[in-house]
Amino acid sequence: MIPPYDSDDDSRPAVPGPVGRIRFMDAQRVNLDGFAVENPELGLVALASPYDPKPGLVVEDGVVTEMDGVKAADFDSIDAFIAAHGLDLTVASEAMALSDVAVARMMVDPSVPRSEVVWLCAGMTPAKLARVLALLRPAELVMAMTKLRARRTPSNQAHVTNRLDDPLLLAADAATAAAFGFRELETTVPVLADAPSNAVAVSIGAAVGSPGVLVQCSVEEALELELGLRGFVSYAETVSLYGTEQVFTDGDDTPWSKAFLTSAYASRGIKMRVSSGAGAEVLMGGAERRSMLYLESRCVALARAMGAQGVQNGGIDGASVAGAVPRGVRELMAENVMVMARNLESCSGNDALMSESDVRRTSRTLPIFLAGSDFVCSGFGSIQRYDNMFGPSNWNAEDIDDYLAMQRDWGVDGGLRTADPATVAELRERAAQAVRAVYAWFGLADFTDEQVAAAVDAAGSKDLAGPDTVAVMHAARVIRETGLTMADVVTALQETGFEPEAERLLDMLKVRVGGDCLQTSAILTPEMRVLSLVTDPNDYTGPGTGYEPTPERQAEIDAIRQQRSVEDLRREQAAYASDALRPRGPATQGGDPREVVVGVSPATGRDVWVTLSGLPVVEVLRQLLAGLEEEGCVARIVRFDDTIDLGMIGLSAARLSGSGIGIGLQAKGTALIHRRDLAPLANLELYSIAPVLSADDYRLMGVNAGRHAKGATPEPARNPYTDEAIEARYHTRVVSLVAIERACCRAAGPEELTL
């Protein structure tokens, strides 16, 4: 029997805590994530549940009488809709007869055309397609996605929101997102009534940043449709589908009501896809013991049956639920491939933050990034995390440079490009001024010069001074109540001197009339050319085929703003040039037993003037000489032009030195103490991590060199410790510095210098 707990009882043995190594591991950010034990009873199972139905299809006289083990009389509304509208019965018999493995192999086999796979999948039931996708391992999912996506050219979508619904900041951020290459921008609101203002501001900002950028305002469905009818948005994607009838009806919806809404958007030329994704049914307690992949297979089949252009899936708001179970991230990617196999546009998730671990969230995106998708992210947070009113994305403004570097690292097109900082500043200014002018034209709001300047410079809404939320609500109410349309906004832009933006927004309205964006996977290029399944079909059939960036696009991917050339480094160094180091004549053998020669590399004081730590080389030399002076030694500086090897420079200095002790110094800051009787690669002390060395470190090396010259054995100077990525940060500069050193190298004798 367990005795009752007594808080004053000290006789109980103390429970030992974890050792330091485990405590250290516990403190890492990955342990902020939730991880669940697989539990089919709750739907906490990714790829396959023992309760998933067995695939099957019975067709009699052209009518589905049984699907996935359920008789027609027992169909729920989802089954009924899919059976009536979602299966191609002309191929169903052949498709269902194939083994799961055979279909899975067709998906990854480059010799099997995409069109054949899509044709067969059109006849597969939800259970059948789910079982096929569950067989694909991660590398095979990458291969299948590369082949099966609809559009040849990858793209990306951004979130543009802020905590205050500030229209000036929304416009500036929309222009910035467009400048970075996003072809769709999605906004939403913390206050529903602000939606019309947000839609107008983001549309104007997008038009400033680039022609042809599609815009959505994700809000309550009736209001979102109204914004579309008025021309304020050009696509929609937040029409939600669920994999169980219970969750569907909890939201007062049916497949028929969603299909009607889908048709309403399409009837006005508005691009339209639906949203679903693993974890939603689990969160609502309605998973019915089915696997996440099977439930999503029902959603995707339903989307096809409804006539939607595509699906935003891959977890979305439930991504962290999928990520909590074994193989959950793999399931998220399988959802995207499933959409592609149904011949729909895939907006591939990677929006809701699924982990606090940078490693996990990168691993979630990387396979899709490498394979390429119609939209790699269905909501890359182009604004800071705290300003994302959808909740933090898997990728945010904090990560844009990382993403651009990843594109460059792998040589792949993830849909983005580097934006010139000066151009970004100009676009933000123009976007804010355009919104200011339009809002003043309609009497919606009067923004001050100070408010515009703050929005242009702001990294986020926390940088804005004195936001007026009431003014935003007033502007939104007037927009809605007076019946303003995008045609009116076009007029206002034209009349206030923003003719290019007026023309761009008018062109977006013309595209809607033409219906070109209703093509599957449609986006618009800055030249207003439609890229879609029709005009830009994916033609991957193995190596040497499919999408490859053009030389111009590859150059755009490669040209991140942080890259530096040797000539860039020469210019930086030239800014610090001085005449402090002057030639004195040929260096001769020393005879003073107190003498220590400081040998320097060929570029020191010629083309290189600053070390990797930022210290001027002249200051480094002064510190070395000061340390030698402390020990009563005599110093001499000698440049060795015939080698850039630090060991040989130090040894050559020691051999010229009267004491037999020398210091070697490369212009980049690496230094050592040498002795005349040692091998070139041996030394007494070495500073090998130049970027972290301080003036005090060099002074200590001078002191120790003096003590060695006097025959003492000092405590060796050690490299300062750092856990920073020194190699990643400085090795490219080292390559350039070595190239400069090599260019200065020549067959000449040692030269004495004065300081």
Side-chain angles (χ1 to χ4, degrees), residues 374-388:
D374 296 316
F375 291 92
V376 176
C377 298
S378 61
F380 189 124
S382 68
I383 65 292
Q384 289 193 59
R385 287 174 62 159
Y386 73 78
D387 260 335
N388 196 329

Side-chain angles (χ1 to χ4, degrees), residues 72-279:
D74 299 320
F75 282 170
D76 64 11
S77 60
I78 299 173
D79 288 329
F81 202 96
I82 293 171
H85 306 290
L87 298 175
D88 184 348
L89 299 184
T90 64
V91 70
S93 177
E94 179 180 347
M96 294 297 292
L98 290 169
S99 71
D100 299 338
V101 171
V103 180
R105 289 177 177 174
M106 293 173 73
M107 287 184 171
V108 301
D109 186 348
S111 67
V112 179
R114 176 187 184 275
S115 58
E116 183 175 345
V117 175
V118 167
W119 176 68
L120 287 168
C121 289
M124 293 181 190
T125 66
K128 176 69 172 180
L129 193 54
R131 294 238 306 216
V132 170
L133 269 298
L135 292 175
L136 296 183
R137 289 168 288 197
E140 293 160 351
L141 286 169
V142 173
M143 296 168 66
M145 181 172 283
T146 302
K147 169 180 165 178
L148 293 179
R149 74 170 181 266
R151 190 178 60 245
R152 189 171 183 267
T153 306
S155 190
N156 223 319
Q157 180 199 113
H159 287 163
V160 178
T161 66
N162 65 63
R163 298 177 307 134
L164 306 173
D165 288 337
D166 185 271
L168 298 176
L169 183 59
L170 285 169
D173 286 342
T176 302
F180 276 104
F182 292 102
R183 301 312 298 166
E184 286 188 354
L185 305 184
E186 181 182 19
T187 190
T188 192
V189 292
V191 178
L192 178 61
D194 291 348
S197 175
N198 281 30
V200 170
V202 172
S203 293
I204 292 173
V208 171
S210 171
V213 177
L214 303 175
V215 170
Q216 180 203 181
C217 184
S218 175
V219 289
E220 182 271 330
E221 289 175 347
L223 178 54
E224 185 171 349
L225 180 59
E226 179 185 332
L227 295 174
L229 296 177
R230 294 193 187 190
F232 292 140
V233 297
S234 42
Y235 79 98
E237 71 177 4
T238 48
V239 175
S240 299
L241 304 184
Y242 303 99
T244 64
E245 188 176 59
Q246 175 190 343
V247 177
F248 235 128
T249 56
D250 281 349
D252 197 28
D253 273 311
T254 70
W256 284 268
S257 66
K258 294 294 189 181
F260 182 83
L261 185 57
T262 299
S263 300
Y265 280 108
S267 71
R268 296 300 185 269
I270 301 170
K271 178 181 176 179
M272 196 276 164
R273 56 179 171 259
V274 296
S275 290
S276 53

Side-chain angles (χ1 to χ4, degrees), residues 548-569:
E548 186 73 20
T550 64
E552 295 78 15
R553 174 60 179 141
Q554 192 62 60
E556 196 174 52
I557 291 169
D558 295 346
I560 60 175
R561 61 192 174 86
Q562 300 90 339
Q563 66 180 2
R564 297 290 184 272
S565 68
V566 174
E567 291 309 310
D568 291 330
L569 189 63

